[in-house]
Amino acid sequence: MIEACFEKTKQFPAGQEIVARCTRPEAVHVILSGYAGCLKSLPDRQRQIVAYFLPGDTCNLNVAILGHMDHSIIALSPCEVAYFSTSVLEELLSRQALARALLWTTLVDEGVSREWLLNMGQRSSERRMAHLFCELRYRLAAVDLVEDESFSFPLTQVQLADTLGITAVHANRMLQQLRALGLIELKRGQLKILDLGDLENFCDFDSRYLHLELRSPRQDMHHRT
Amino acid sequence: MIEACFEKTKQFPAGQEIVARCTRPEAVHVILSGYAGCLKSLPDRQRQIVAYFLPGDTCNLNVAILGHMDHSIIALSPCEVAYFSTSVLEELLSRQALARALLWTTLVDEGVSREWLLNMGQRSSERRMAHLFCELRYRLAAVDLVEDESFSFPLTQVQLADTLGITAVHANRMLQQLRALGLIELKRGQLKILDLGDLENFCDFDSRYLHLELRSPRQDMHHRT
DNA sequence: CGCGTCCTTGAGCTTGGTCAAGGTCTGTGG
DNA sequence: CCACAGACCTTGACCAAGCTCAAGGACGCG
């Protein structure tokens, strides 16, 4: 029923803005393929990627309710994006079960961003990176995009560094480190986790914060698309 | 109408757990006075405070919907807390306007935690601390707890450090720094901002992410209590 | 008064940042 | 098919923000 509302889809090349900061877009976006990111930046060109949006994720629910964006959404890799207008969202909200599903989604997102805060505040950059990879593994597996513990990771090291709050040079070294420890392989935008248990132990990963135990509304959306 | 649902209130001394991790509390909590915090921790006793709850804030909405907590809520100072049962929440959700208000609240919280991520990833610890103080100033002003740019900040330096992802020693030094720069005064749990404009410039603070321009449901709750 | 909690300060060390150069890979045009 | 450009990755040397360990001081409470 939701996909019936998609009005159009669009392709974005890597690096392009999907939704600009401070604007008031009149559509909600759903990522169909590729990686998108929620970007916040400071005046002196420091930038922090504060969330990833993977296939199936809805990415600017908030504008419809809050009125304006305090961040921008950019394509981290080439992306295919579907839209539905905020008037459709209004319609969804008026239906009991869907209002609950929307609330569920935002609460999960909030939980994820708090886990990211823990990650930023307490883990070394090496473990922080490992933790991010574990998270991606589970989120992508939930939408069936992991095969043989391997999945697409098309970001540049600069983008990865901006996600982790470190410099690109340091991101590179930590990546080498994880490779040297035999935890991952990464080449040509394809990430392979060599031993998921080891990687999880290495960074104290516990997938429960992702709330994948229940079928989420977003998974429904994706599977039916 | 909401306050009619409060079933009881309770006092908590500083440091006590209000809601334990991994439990499934059957009540949603609203802070009436004091500071509470959302705490996440790692096995080796590293801890990160990932959110503050100030008077008027609702703090575990998520359990009613998500089913379990992946963090605990602790009293950062002595707190007075009101409860309403999750069955009341169900009731609220069934009413159109309230479902929207709940969604609004969680979206704002999510926006705040993304701003914290920017803070953690990109700002120096000194500016990070200044940014936190600016945020508190606005959030407390919204519930009328700021007088003459001065408000209660009853946390220890250890708690402040855990919020900012630094050590207590370093928190102490950065606090001295802010004092030396003439930006703030802090004694006896009372924080005074000497020049709000200067402090905001110092850390590039922009209050829009707090979405205070509209009256929030949580403010309604507080004012009527 | 004495104890516990919190705050303050110093010295040395480690993680991650900066600057700079060189290497690899891919796509494009001759 | 090769040469070149541009984007990305890699490595090294040095530097600084923030951490650790340790000791002493202030303050409030029984």
Side-chain angles (χ1 to χ4, degrees):
Chain A
M1 64 213 173
I2 289 175
E3 74 277 21
C5 311
F6 288 164
E7 284 155 4
K8 50 192 171 191
T9 69
K10 197 175 163 193
Q11 306 289 139
F12 289 89
Q16 189 161 321
E17 240 178 10
I18 296 174
V19 183
R21 185 166 175 281
C22 293
T23 57
R24 197 191 200 307
E26 66 302 316
V28 172
H29 302 239
V30 179
I31 306 300
L32 299 180
S33 69
Y35 275 53
C38 175
L39 181 78
K40 300 200 63 138
S41 39
L42 294 174
D44 48 347
R45 76 174 54 207
Q46 290 173 97
R47 42 167 48 201
Q48 177 75 32
I49 296 170
V50 296
Y52 281 176
F53 299 112
L54 307 179
D57 290 351
T58 305
C59 61
N60 56 334
L61 251 189
N62 39 6
V63 289
I65 309 281
L66 296 182
H68 72 83
M69 309 269 295
D70 50 11
H71 52 256
S72 56
I73 301 201
I74 59 165
L76 297 173
S77 74
C79 280
E80 188 185 357
V81 180
Y83 300 72
F84 55 87
S85 66
T86 52
S87 61
V88 171
L89 181 66
E90 296 292 330
E91 170 64 21
L92 295 186
L93 256 178
S94 71
R95 293 199 249 155
Q96 183 50 16
L98 289 171
R100 180 189 211 84
L102 290 173
L103 188 55
W104 192 94
T105 302
T106 65
L107 287 168
V108 171
D109 288 350
E110 194 182 330
V112 171
S113 83
R114 289 182 175 170
E115 184 72 26
W116 281 36
L117 274 170
L118 172 65
N119 218 15
M120 295 288 291
Q122 301 303 326
R123 280 187 255 257
S124 65
S125 55
E126 191 183 24
R127 284 164 213 272
R128 203 141 85 220
M129 187 180 288
H131 194 276
L132 176 66
F133 292 155
C134 288
E135 178 182 311
L136 290 174
R137 148 68 177 75
Y138 280 93
R139 287 173 59 188
L140 289 169
V143 289
D144 207 25
L145 291 174
V146 176
E147 205 166 322
D148 192 25
E149 293 304 333
S150 172
F151 54 88
S152 160
F153 184 75
L155 307 215
T156 65
Q157 294 185 0
V158 172
Q159 292 170 320
L160 177 59
D162 285 341
T163 306
L164 300 172
I166 58 180
T167 58
V169 171
H170 199 60
N172 179 280
R173 290 195 238 261
M174 295 303 99
L175 204 45
Q176 311 283 12
Q177 195 75 28
L178 293 182
R179 286 195 261 238
L181 289 167
L183 294 170
I184 61 155
E185 273 172 9
L186 171 59
K187 44 177 184 261
R188 246 167 281 257
Q190 197 69 15
L191 182 69
K192 175 158 189 168
I193 296 178
L194 297 176
D195 183 318
L196 183 59
D198 284 356
L199 190 63
E200 291 185 3
N201 280 334
F202 179 72
C203 59
D204 288 310
F205 184 83
D206 176 346
S207 68
R208 278 176 296 178
Y209 74 94
L210 291 169
H211 293 278
L212 298 169
E213 72 281 4
L214 308 162
R215 278 175 63 69
S216 76
R218 72 164 53 143
Q219 282 171 56
D220 288 358
M221 263 150 110
H222 180 73
H223 286 137
R224 291 192 207 131
T225 309
Chain B
M1 62 211 173
I2 288 177
E3 76 277 18
C5 310
F6 287 162
E7 284 154 4
K8 50 192 170 190
T9 70
K10 197 174 164 193
Q11 306 289 139
F12 290 89
Q16 189 159 322
E17 239 178 10
I18 297 174
V19 183
R21 187 166 171 280
C22 292
T23 57
R24 197 193 200 307
E26 64 303 316
V28 171
H29 301 242
V30 179
I31 306 300
L32 299 180
S33 69
Y35 275 52
C38 175
L39 181 77
K40 299 199 66 138
S41 39
L42 294 175
D44 48 346
R45 77 174 56 207
Q46 290 174 93
R47 43 168 48 202
Q48 178 75 32
I49 296 169
V50 296
Y52 282 176
F53 299 113
L54 306 180
D57 290 351
T58 306
C59 61
N60 57 334
L61 249 191
N62 38 5
V63 289
I65 308 282
L66 295 183
H68 72 83
M69 308 270 295
D70 51 10
H71 52 256
S72 56
I73 300 198
I74 59 166
L76 296 173
S77 74
C79 280
E80 188 185 357
V81 180
Y83 300 71
F84 58 86
S85 66
T86 51
S87 61
V88 172
L89 182 66
E90 295 292 328
E91 169 65 22
L92 295 185
L93 256 178
S94 71
R95 292 198 248 157
Q96 183 50 14
L98 289 172
R100 177 189 214 83
L102 290 174
L103 187 55
W104 192 94
T105 301
T106 65
L107 287 168
V108 171
D109 289 349
E110 194 183 330
V112 171
S113 82
R114 290 184 173 170
E115 184 72 24
W116 282 35
L117 274 170
L118 172 65
N119 218 15
M120 295 290 289
Q122 302 302 329
R123 281 187 255 257
S124 65
S125 55
E126 191 183 26
R127 283 163 214 270
R128 202 141 85 221
M129 186 179 288
H131 194 276
L132 176 67
F133 292 156
C134 288
E135 178 181 310
L136 289 174
R137 147 69 176 74
Y138 280 93
R139 286 173 60 187
L140 289 169
V143 288
D144 208 24
L145 292 173
V146 175
E147 205 166 323
D148 193 24
E149 293 304 331
S150 171
F151 55 88
S152 160
F153 184 75
L155 305 216
T156 65
Q157 293 185 1
V158 172
Q159 292 171 320
L160 177 60
D162 284 341
T163 307
L164 300 172
I166 58 180
T167 58
V169 171
H170 199 59
N172 179 279
R173 291 195 238 260
M174 295 302 100
L175 204 45
Q176 309 284 11
Q177 194 75 30
L178 293 183
R179 286 195 260 238
L181 289 167
L183 294 170
I184 60 155
E185 274 172 8
L186 171 59
K187 44 179 186 257
R188 246 168 281 258
Q190 196 69 18
L191 182 69
K192 175 159 190 168
I193 295 178
L194 298 176
D195 184 318
L196 184 58
D198 284 354
L199 190 63
E200 291 184 5
N201 280 334
F202 179 71
C203 59
D204 288 310
F205 184 83
D206 176 346
S207 69
R208 277 175 296 177
Y209 74 95
L210 291 169
H211 292 278
L212 297 169
E213 72 281 5
L214 308 162
R215 278 175 65 70
S216 77
R218 76 167 46 149
Q219 282 173 54
D220 288 359
M221 263 150 109
H222 181 73
H223 285 139
R224 292 195 205 128
T225 309

